[in-house]
Amino acid sequence: WSGGYLRLTVDAFGRVVRYLSQVYDPDKGVLGVDLGASHTTLAAAFDGDLRLSVRTELGLGSVLPNLLNYCTPEDVLRWMPVEESPGSVLDYIYNKALYPASIPTELNELHLEYALARQILRSALTLAQPSWPEAVRHSTVLPAMEPIIASGAAMSRAPRPGYAALALLDALQPRGVSTLVLDPYSLVPAVGAAAGPLPMVTVQVLESGSFISLGTVVS
């Protein structure tokens, strides 16, 4: 039925990131982040060299308590714009694990949700970087990336695009000049899967305006 073109979502996501790394500045990499409920994917490509990291233990859903294996509640609190206690962070984490489909109903819960999103991305980046090429590998500094593509419900369902932009800036801390791009409809995996049988359609979708530019970062 599929004509032999079935592809894992993360592979399709990585295929698009690798393609873009061959189209954009070869002196910079391309980074794609997909923050979901049950996993977090980081796809980094450097002039066609794709490094794919999938963390099934990191996500904003039922697996959220696993984040505590990589950080403390205080690490989450550093991203909060308002005063909160470590206990409130733990309460939110375990409630979210029990009811992963729940959404924030109060402003402080919204701040907690995006503080956790920041910490998940930060932890996933720290775990992924050792597998990157040695020439671009730095301990805690992100190499030059253009563009940076964000996908996943946490990013796409933000009340305003600025929430997603600030979360990406804090978590990834890009340097140099780069563009933040949001994939609000989770099109990147579909585009990557379609690249096999319909490569020109893939190019047309990427240039169709279906993605949201969150802005240019000069850091």
Side-chain angles (χ1 to χ4, degrees), residues 143-168:
M145 296 289 191
E146 171 65 24
I148 297 172
I149 303 171
S151 185
M155 297 291 110
S156 61
R157 74 183 181 202
R160 290 188 293 275
Y163 278 87
L166 287 172
L168 292 170

Side-chain angles (χ1 to χ4, degrees), residues 17 29-33 42-45 125 132 142 145-150 172:
V17 172
V30 174
L31 181 64
V33 299
L42 262 73
L125 178 63
W132 292 2
L142 189 71
M145 296 289 191
E146 171 65 24
I148 297 172
I149 303 171
L172 304 178

Side-chain angles (χ1 to χ4, degrees), residues 179-212:
T179 306
L180 299 181
V181 178
L182 183 64
D183 175 18
Y185 311 114
S186 296
L187 285 176
V188 171
V191 167
L198 300 167
M200 286 309 298
V201 170
T202 300
V203 174
Q204 290 168 4
V205 171
L206 289 173
E207 297 177 352
S208 68
S210 301
F211 301 89
I212 297 174

Side-chain angles (χ1 to χ4, degrees), residues 52-127:
L52 197 59
S53 174
V54 183
R55 310 303 307 193
T56 56
E57 78 277 23
L58 292 175
L60 268 173
S62 58
V63 298
L64 186 54
N66 292 326
L67 178 63
L68 297 172
N69 294 328
Y70 301 101
C71 72
T72 64
E74 286 75 16
D75 293 326
V76 177
L77 288 174
R78 63 181 168 161
W79 307 120
M80 289 288 290
V82 295
E83 195 75 24
E84 282 288 355
S85 67
S88 64
V89 175
L90 294 175
D91 287 344
Y92 190 85
I93 287 175
Y94 289 113
N95 275 307
K96 186 73 174 182
L98 289 172
Y99 306 102
S102 63
I103 60 174
T105 57
E106 298 179 2
L107 188 58
N108 65 323
E109 291 181 350
L110 185 68
H111 290 321
L112 267 173
E113 180 100 352
Y114 281 92
L116 289 164
R118 286 166 166 84
Q119 191 58 44
I120 290 171
L121 288 176
R122 192 72 188 159
S123 299
L125 178 63
T126 301
L127 293 167

Side-chain angles (χ1 to χ4, degrees), residues 26-57:
D27 295 327
K28 295 182 178 182
V30 174
L31 181 64
V33 299
D34 184 1
L35 175 55
S38 58
H39 72 280
T40 298
T41 301
L42 262 73
F46 307 91
D47 197 18
D49 182 4
L50 175 67
R51 304 300 171 98
L52 197 59
S53 174
V54 183
R55 310 303 307 193
T56 56
E57 78 277 23

